[in-house]
Amino acid sequence: MKAQDIILKPLLTEKGYDGITDKRYTFIVAKNANKIQIKQAVEELFSVQVKSVNTLVYKGKPKRQGRSMGYTSEYKKAVVQLRDESKPIEFFNSLS
């Protein structure tokens, strides 16, 4: 798997913005990616040093529109903590 296939997009939430100052970044990642693959992908894409990776899997919630019933999409979230000596990710600098 390529790094672009593992890291799908950044997840920008209020709690995520609070972590930017501590070099903690949140991404939506591929569901079949493990922590080692996520760490290697972040290091390759952004040229940083990763300290730790925490992952969470979110199941789809039931939603209704009229009579039809469906579910929101499932996704996997990764919270990546960078090392103290690592440079911050430039993409998030303008957001903090």
Side-chain angles (χ1 to χ4, degrees), residues 24-80:
R24 191 176 312 116
Y25 303 99
T26 309
F27 299 97
I28 293 181
V29 297
K31 282 193 264 185
N32 58 351
N34 60 31
K35 291 182 181 185
I36 296 169
Q37 292 172 328
I38 294 168
K39 177 181 177 179
Q40 292 171 347
V42 170
E43 288 177 345
E44 179 184 329
L45 286 175
F46 302 108
S47 302
V48 293
Q49 297 173 351
V50 175
K51 180 179 178 183
S52 65
V53 176
N54 295 330
T55 58
L56 300 98
V57 177
Y58 287 90
K59 303 293 182 189
K61 295 181 182 178
K63 296 287 181 182
R64 279 182 39 178
Q65 186 169 6
R67 292 185 208 177
S68 61
M69 180 80 171
Y71 288 89
T72 60
S73 59
E74 298 178 351
Y75 63 96
K76 186 172 189 176
K77 178 172 99 169
V79 180
V80 178

Side-chain angles (χ1 to χ4, degrees), residues 11 15-27 52 54 78-83 88-89 92:
L11 185 61
K15 191 171 183 180
Y17 285 125
D18 293 340
I20 291 175
T21 56
D22 300 330
K23 294 185 179 178
R24 191 176 312 116
Y25 303 99
T26 309
F27 299 97
S52 65
N54 295 330
V79 180
V80 178
Q81 174 71 47
L82 300 184
R83 292 187 180 172
I89 297 176
F92 291 96

